[in-house]
């Protein structure tokens, strides 16, 4: 017992007492892992492995892991489930790394405790997804929850670098309104995209039901808010350089690049009959789009003690 107590005390003493490199690394790992999870979840769906493990929490009635008889579908589905545990470990370390100074950095404490708890919630939703026979609306909820966790991961990375000092708006009111409008249309684009996918051919399993909506019509509806978002982003980027609003330059430019790639992939997948690789890439890019939009909105304000000409995004670029 003394040995255990000594190791526990040594571990406690090793934990950070303020934001340092370890905290920054684990914040980035959380964001990357949340995004990768969407990619592996997409692989499950796009390879028809949604019921590769036909039950939950076990993979079969007798085994927690996939068996050779289940083939590649069982391996893919079990691999996605395993990533949940990796993500949980990262989330727990993120929480532990802010524990000692949680009173000074309550923002970081909240932003780390949410993924530490929500990863388990994600696993439960994933279980409901399997037990519901891949109901398209449950699958869509699963994806939207993942996007939300990616957004919170982006906020965590931002806060780790920017601190929790009082912030002041440095962008004009009309530019702030334009940026928030763009974020609204990003959300609409993602939600309509979920409905579009739920009406298409990629059910995750041959026997899974679709939502019954008109897929071809939804593809057009899905593109409308995406193009509005693109137009608004062009305005934001131009304003960031012409006014100038230095804090917005890097994040808005990154946002524009992600949107451009996302639109190209979206158009290509529609024209090419929804090939699996492009659909999966489109899903991952949706998470990157949500994260980039979040960071852009956060850069509408800068720490009060910094001059307006200071570019807070510089720390993210040099990370």
């Amino acid at each position: 017992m003394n040995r255990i107590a000594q190791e526990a005390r040594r571990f406690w003493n090793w934990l950070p007492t303020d934001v340092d490199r370890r905290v920054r690394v684990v914040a980035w790992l959380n964001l990357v892992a949340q995004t990768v999870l969407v990619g592996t979840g997409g692989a499950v769906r796009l390879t028809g492995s949604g019921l590769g493990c036909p039950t939950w929490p076990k993979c079969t009635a007798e085994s927690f892991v996939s068996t050779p008889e289940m083939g590649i579908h069982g391996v893919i589905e079990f691999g996605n489930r395993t990533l949940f545990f990796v993500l949980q470990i990262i989330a727990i370390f993120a929480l532990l790394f802010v524990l000692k100074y949680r009173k000074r950095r309550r923002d970081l404490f909240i932003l780390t405790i949410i993924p530490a708890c929500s990863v388990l919630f994600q696993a439960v939703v994933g279980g409901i997804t399997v037990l519901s026979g891949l109901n398209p609306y449950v699958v869509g909820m699963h994806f939207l929850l993942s996007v939300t966790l990616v957004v919170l991961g982006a906020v965590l990375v931002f806060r780790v670098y920017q601190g929790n000092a009082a912030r002041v708006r440095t962008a004009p009111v009309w530019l702030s309104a334009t940026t928030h409008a763009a974020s609204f249309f990003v959300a609409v684009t993602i939600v309509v995209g979920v409905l579009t996918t739920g009406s298409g051919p990629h059910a995750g399993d041959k026997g899974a039901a679709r939502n019954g909506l008109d897929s071809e019509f939804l593809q057009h509806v899905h593109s409308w808010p995406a193009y509005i978002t693109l137009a608004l982003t062009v305005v934001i980027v131009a304003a960031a350089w012409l006014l100038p609003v230095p804090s917005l330059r890097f994040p808005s430019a990154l946002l524009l690049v992600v949107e451009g790639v996302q639109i190209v992939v979206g158009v290509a997948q529609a024209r090419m009959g929804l090939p699996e690789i492009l659909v999966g890439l489109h899903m991952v890019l949706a998470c990157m789009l949500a994260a980039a939009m979040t960071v852009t909105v956060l850069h509408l304000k800068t720490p009060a003690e910094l001059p307006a000409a200071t570019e807070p995004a510089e720390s993210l670029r040099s990370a």
Side-chain angles (χ1 to χ4, degrees):
M1 290 298 295
N2 289 336
R3 177 67 175 177
I4 295 176
Q6 289 176 359
E7 292 299 327
R9 189 178 302 110
R10 182 179 302 175
F11 178 75
W12 177 257
N13 292 335
W14 173 78
L15 292 177
T17 57
D18 206 343
V19 175
D20 60 13
R21 181 178 292 274
R22 290 171 292 176
V23 180
R24 297 186 184 98
V25 168
V26 79
W28 277 107
L29 285 176
N30 174 68
L31 176 58
V32 171
Q34 296 285 4
T35 306
V36 170
L37 184 63
V38 172
T40 59
V44 169
R45 183 172 189 168
L46 297 168
T47 58
S49 305
L51 294 177
C53 289
T55 186
W56 187 90
K58 290 185 176 182
C59 199
T60 69
E62 296 80 20
S63 174
F64 278 98
V65 301
S66 60
T67 61
E69 293 77 16
M70 301 172 71
I72 187 62
H73 293 312
V75 172
I76 293 174
E77 167 65 7
F78 180 71
N80 184 58
R81 294 187 184 189
T82 303
L83 186 57
F84 275 116
F85 294 100
V86 176
L87 189 53
Q88 183 69 65
I89 292 171
I90 293 173
I92 290 173
F93 268 97
L95 177 60
L96 289 173
F97 281 178
V98 303
L99 200 57
K100 279 190 173 181
Y101 51 99
R102 62 189 182 279
K103 293 183 179 179
R104 287 186 288 113
R105 294 302 306 271
R106 185 176 176 81
D107 57 330
L108 296 185
F109 180 67
I110 293 174
L111 287 168
T112 54
I113 201 171
I114 290 175
C117 298
S118 61
V119 168
L120 293 177
F121 180 65
Q122 269 280 57
V124 172
V125 174
I128 295 173
T129 301
V130 172
L131 298 176
S132 67
L134 304 184
N135 180 287
Y137 293 105
V138 179
V139 174
M141 181 179 67
H142 197 31
F143 176 74
L144 291 176
L145 179 57
S146 294
V147 174
T148 301
L149 291 173
V150 169
V151 167
L152 292 175
V155 176
L156 176 61
V157 171
F158 177 86
R159 284 287 192 167
V160 161
Y161 285 95
Q162 297 296 312
N164 62 340
R167 302 176 63 80
V168 295
R169 182 171 52 81
T170 54
V173 174
W174 71 265
L175 182 54
S176 295
T178 301
T179 306
H180 285 292
S183 68
F184 169 76
F185 283 106
V186 165
V188 172
T189 302
I190 292 174
V191 171
V192 178
V194 168
L195 294 175
T196 304
T197 303
S199 67
H202 298 299
D205 183 78
K206 293 181 179 180
R210 313 313 291 134
N211 60 27
L213 301 176
D214 188 328
S215 182
E216 186 174 351
F217 175 70
L218 280 176
Q219 287 182 33
H220 294 292
V221 175
H222 178 47
S223 69
W224 299 340
Y227 288 130
I228 293 174
T229 301
L230 178 65
L232 292 175
T233 303
V234 170
V235 173
I236 295 168
V237 172
W241 287 91
L242 295 176
L243 287 181
V245 186
S247 62
L248 275 181
R249 289 176 180 171
F250 175 70
S252 63
L254 177 62
L255 174 63
L256 184 60
V257 170
V258 173
E259 287 175 3
V261 176
Q262 178 73 312
I263 288 174
V264 169
V265 172
V267 172
Q269 71 172 7
R271 298 288 176 83
M272 298 172 64
L274 303 177
E276 287 82 356
I277 185 66
L278 290 184
V279 176
L281 179 59
H282 200 55
M283 293 174 62
V284 174
L285 284 168
C287 292
M288 295 175 63
L289 173 63
M293 186 74 252
T294 300
V295 173
T296 301
V297 170
L298 291 172
H299 275 93
L300 289 169
K301 295 183 178 181
T302 58
E305 69 270 17
L306 293 179
T310 301
E311 187 172 358
E314 185 66 33
S315 59
L316 289 178
R317 285 205 300 270
S318 61

